[in-house]
């Protein structure tokens, strides 16, 4: 994002080997393909949740809690291992961990496709999360090591825009597959893409590593995984029981919080932490990380229940639901690569705050949706959400990645993606629990005529109620309308909670992200030297740095 009047950009030439510099855009294409696979898988799953919830042979009869765990088992393994994968990438070589991750992801996808039960699906999704944990941070770390600083914002914008591409392709691909094949095809489709990505990676992607890596923080990683699993399990359990004071809810939730406190204390005292806590002393860095976590917290929960709204309440097919979400993806693809231009003019603070407000507005709109809301209104809302996301992700990712030295790109990418995935996991868990609890409270008064053996199941979700109604035949017809009304009421409450979270995110970035004046130097090329805010700019174009880059 250099200014036309910045001739000092010239010294950046030697920092990246010329052979790598020439093929940097081809490398970015391969990285986007790798990222596409990981993100596409989750967007496909969001469209397929209704099908997977259907009893065999159409689906596997997964409950709402099991569907949440099918998402969260992936996300929690992913988030928990991002620290380790980032450190291993910096230590062993980012290309190596990228290849390892994509292979594991492909194997997990093939196994998930043939799951015979919800338990198997949850386990194989965890394997996919293991592979993805080594893929996503490596893509961003490689990007930082093939692009010079002045081109990094543009490359990161395109990298972030590929998320929008995945959001567009995922639901449509999933809808087409579900209309013509069995539900497992949504995972099996990953395998040929993985094979293509492997071939291109081996051909084009250069390797890079930290010349002075630290040891892997095994205790820190284990503490983070255990803490997150316990906390989210407690939240999901609370949603199942519609009672957050139950001992089976409080024990894991409070235990998880205690373990996470131990994790923070351990990281602060460790001489080789998985995450360097000193980074969080910088307000701009902490605000950028918080913005990613909060926006994904809000959006992932809404994405989860919007599939039920579109398919169960509105009656759209999986393919139609995917097409309806297209405006969100298009907005991301159009605006994310150009976000750097808006940041240059108005500053990261104004741009990210406006983006968060757009996201909050889109989420709040769900509180007014009903069974007859016009299609064009939904399309406008999805577009606004996508535009908001496109003006949040690139600037905050640039802020995080350029705050660290290039040799620590793996660690920086791990921090960025960990908080995004943890935010998303907690969003699904917390907002899913709110939705489940609110729905159960609304529908219980209408379940008096349901046999006692089916009553608990019927109150779990709108899909469960409709399935019980179908099983009861004519006697169950009176449950259909109350089920729709109960779901809409629960969705409205959840949408308001999501919008509040997004508003908190807007307040955080407005308070702590740099405005236009300090944002400019932070994104200037290394030749801008003394004015740069991050450690990366302290020795711009030095001979030692050039030699180190050549070695990497």
């Amino acid at each position: 994002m250099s200014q036309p009047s910045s001739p000092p950009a010239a010294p950046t030439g030697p920092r990246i080997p010329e052979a790598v510099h020439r093929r940097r855009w081809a490398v970015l294409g391969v990285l986007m393909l790798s990222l596409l696979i990981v993100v596409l898988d989750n967007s496909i799953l969001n469209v397929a949740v209704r099908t997977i919830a259907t009893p065999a042979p159409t689906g596997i009869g997964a409950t709402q809690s099991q569907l949440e765990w099918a998402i969260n088992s992936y996300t929690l393994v992913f988030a928990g291992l991002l620290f380790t994968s980032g450190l291993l990438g910096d230590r062993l070589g980012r290309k190596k961990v990228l290849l390892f991750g994509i292979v594991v992801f492909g194997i997990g996808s093939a196994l998930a496709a043939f799951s015979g039960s919800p338990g198997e699906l949850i386990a194989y999704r965890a394997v996919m999360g293991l592979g993805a944990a080594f893929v996503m941070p490596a893509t961003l770390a490689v990007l930082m090591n093939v692009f010079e600083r002045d081109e990094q914002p543009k490359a990161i914008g395109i990298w972030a825009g590929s998320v929008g591409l995945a959001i567009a392709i995922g639901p449509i691909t999933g809808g087409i597959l579900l209309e013509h094949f069995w539900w497992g095809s949504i995972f099996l489709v990953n395998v040929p893409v993985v094979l293509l990505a492997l071939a291109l990676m081996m051909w084009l992607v250069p390797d890079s590593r930290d010349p002075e890596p630290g040891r892997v923080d095994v205790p820190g990683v284990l503490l983070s995984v255990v803490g997150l699993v316990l906390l989210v399990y407690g939240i999901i359990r609370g949603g199942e029981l519609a009672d957050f004071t139950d001992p089976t809810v409080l024990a894991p939730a409070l235990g998880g919080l205690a373990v996470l406190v131990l994790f923070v204390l351990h990281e602060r005292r460790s001489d080789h932490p998985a995450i360097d806590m000193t980074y969080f002393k910088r307000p701009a860095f902490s605000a950028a990380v918080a913005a990613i976590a909060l926006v994904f917290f809000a959006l992932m929960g809404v994405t989860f229940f919007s599939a039920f709204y579109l398919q169960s309440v509105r009656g759209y097919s999986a393919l139609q639901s995917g097409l309806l979400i297209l405006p969100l993806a298009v907005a991301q693809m159009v605006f994310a690569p150009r976000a750097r231009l808006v940041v240059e003019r108005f500053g990261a603070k104004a741009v990210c705050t406006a983006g968060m407000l757009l996201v909050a507005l889109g989420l709040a709109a769900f509180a007014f949706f009903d069974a007859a809301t016009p299609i064009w209104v939904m399309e406008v809302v999805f577009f606004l959400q996508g535009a908001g996301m496109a003006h949040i992700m690139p600037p905050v990712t640039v802020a995080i990645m350029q705050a660290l030295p290039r040799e620590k790109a793996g660690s920086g990418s791990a921090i960025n993606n960990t908080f995004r995935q943890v935010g998303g996991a907690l969003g699904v868990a917390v907002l899913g629990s709110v939705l489940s609890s609110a729905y159960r409270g609304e529908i219980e008064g209408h379940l008096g005529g349901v046999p006692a053996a089916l009553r608990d199941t019927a109150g779990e979700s709108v899909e469960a109620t409709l399935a019980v109604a179908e099983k009861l035949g004519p006697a169950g017809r009176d449950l259909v309308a109350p089920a729709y009304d109960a779901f809409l009421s629960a969705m409205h409450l959840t949408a308001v909670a999501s919008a509040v979270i997004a508003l908190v995110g807007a307040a955080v970035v407005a308070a702590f992200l740099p405005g236009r004046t300090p944002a400019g130097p932070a994104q200037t090329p290394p030749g801008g030297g003394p004015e740069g805010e991050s450690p990366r700019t302290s020795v711009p174009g030095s001979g030692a740095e050039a030699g180190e880059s050549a070695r990497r």
Side-chain angles (χ1 to χ4, degrees):
M1 293 171 64
S2 59
Q3 301 295 333
S5 60
S6 300
T12 65
R15 297 179 63 196
I16 299 293
E18 184 59 30
V20 174
H21 181 74
R22 283 199 302 266
R23 67 176 189 267
R24 65 195 185 283
W25 297 109
V27 172
L28 179 59
V30 179
L31 299 178
M32 289 173 61
L33 179 63
S34 306
L35 182 66
L36 179 72
I37 303 169
V38 175
V39 179
L40 179 145
D41 176 76
N42 275 331
S43 61
I44 284 182
L45 183 59
N46 285 325
V47 171
V49 289
R50 183 171 180 263
T51 303
I52 296 173
T54 306
T58 303
I60 53 177
T63 65
Q64 180 162 324
S65 174
Q66 289 169 333
L67 289 173
E68 290 180 5
W69 272 107
I71 295 172
N72 284 331
S73 65
Y74 174 100
T75 307
L76 290 178
V77 172
F78 184 15
L81 293 179
L82 277 171
F83 298 145
T84 301
S85 68
L87 293 172
L88 286 177
D90 288 342
R91 182 187 185 104
L92 303 176
R94 288 136 194 159
K95 180 177 182 177
K96 294 182 182 67
V97 301
L98 186 57
L99 290 170
F100 170 78
I102 205 71
V103 168
V104 173
F105 186 84
I107 292 172
S109 297
L111 292 172
F114 297 100
S115 300
S117 68
E120 288 185 11
L121 177 60
I122 291 169
Y124 295 142
R125 286 278 297 164
V127 174
M128 295 172 68
L130 171 63
F134 285 83
V135 172
M136 185 171 280
T139 62
L140 192 51
V142 170
L143 181 155
M144 299 299 289
N145 280 273
V146 299
F147 284 92
E148 300 292 4
R149 187 180 178 86
D150 59 330
E151 284 189 320
Q152 285 170 1
K154 180 179 181 181
I156 288 174
I158 296 172
W159 179 87
S162 65
V163 174
L165 180 62
I167 293 174
I169 295 175
I172 296 171
T173 303
I176 293 173
L177 290 172
L178 291 173
E179 285 195 356
H180 296 90
F181 304 100
W182 96 112
W183 66 268
S185 62
I186 65 171
F187 299 113
L188 197 61
V189 72
N190 292 334
V191 176
V193 186
V194 163
L195 294 175
L196 174 61
L198 276 173
L200 292 174
M201 281 178 203
M202 290 187 286
W203 177 34
L204 291 170
V205 175
D207 206 356
S208 61
R209 60 174 58 87
D210 183 353
E212 297 179 1
R215 289 178 292 152
V216 175
D217 180 21
V218 176
V221 171
L222 292 176
L223 285 172
S224 67
V225 173
V226 172
L228 288 169
V229 169
L230 287 174
L231 175 61
V232 176
Y233 174 79
I235 294 169
I236 293 175
R237 183 64 176 162
E240 289 176 339
L241 300 177
D243 181 7
F244 286 88
T245 62
D246 189 277
T248 61
V249 175
L250 288 176
L254 294 178
L257 287 173
V259 173
L260 290 175
V261 170
L262 288 176
F263 166 72
V264 173
L265 294 175
H266 168 78
E267 295 302 293
R268 292 180 64 181
R269 296 175 181 176
S270 174
D271 59 355
H272 58 283
I275 178 172
D276 188 346
M277 293 296 173
T278 61
Y279 292 133
F280 293 93
K281 293 181 179 179
R282 307 173 187 176
F285 182 87
S286 296
V289 168
I292 286 181
L294 290 170
V295 74
F296 273 85
F297 182 102
L299 276 177
M300 287 301 293
V302 171
T303 302
F304 181 75
F305 71 66
S306 65
F308 288 99
Y309 168 70
L310 292 172
Q311 296 181 47
S312 299
V313 177
R314 300 304 297 266
Y316 295 113
S317 68
L319 176 57
Q320 290 171 329
S321 298
L323 291 171
L324 286 172
I325 301 175
L326 198 58
L328 186 147
V330 170
Q332 285 203 51
M333 287 187 292
V334 169
F335 293 117
R338 297 168 174 81
R340 75 190 193 283
L341 303 175
V342 187
V343 172
E344 282 181 346
R345 181 165 185 178
F346 300 105
K349 180 196 294 282
V351 173
C352 291
T353 301
M356 292 295 288
L357 291 175
L358 273 179
V359 170
L361 178 63
L363 295 172
F366 274 89
F368 300 95
F369 285 5
D370 56 30
T373 299
I375 295 296
W376 70 266
V377 174
M378 289 191 293
E379 300 301 271
V380 169
V381 168
F382 284 134
F383 186 85
L384 289 176
Q385 286 181 322
M389 284 286 293
H391 288 89
I392 299 169
M393 287 180 59
V396 297
T397 302
V398 169
I400 292 171
M401 295 305 296
Q402 291 194 342
L404 281 69
R406 176 177 281 170
E407 61 270 18
K408 301 296 183 183
S411 300
S413 180
I415 293 171
N416 176 72
N417 288 295
T418 294
F419 278 85
R420 182 170 73 175
Q421 293 304 318
V422 169
L426 292 177
V428 171
V430 173
L431 297 178
S433 296
V434 171
L435 181 72
S436 178
S437 299
Y439 180 81
R440 186 183 293 273
E442 291 285 338
I443 197 65
E444 275 184 347
H446 301 277
L447 300 179
V450 176
L454 297 175
R455 196 169 299 158
D456 188 61
T457 301
E460 187 173 88
S461 67
V462 62
E463 276 300 311
T465 305
L466 295 176
V468 168
E470 185 176 354
K471 184 180 294 187
L472 294 176
R477 290 175 184 168
D478 291 340
L479 285 177
V480 176
Y484 290 156
D485 291 340
F487 177 81
L488 288 172
S489 177
M491 185 184 78
H492 294 162
L493 176 63
T494 310
V496 171
S498 303
V500 170
I501 295 297
L503 288 175
V504 171
V508 168
V509 297
F512 298 108
L513 275 189
R516 181 180 179 185
T517 301
Q523 298 183 28
T524 56
E531 295 179 3
E533 290 184 356
S534 75
R536 191 191 307 278
T537 62
S538 60
V539 285
S542 68
E545 185 174 353
E548 181 182 290
S549 299
R551 288 194 299 274
R552 292 198 300 274

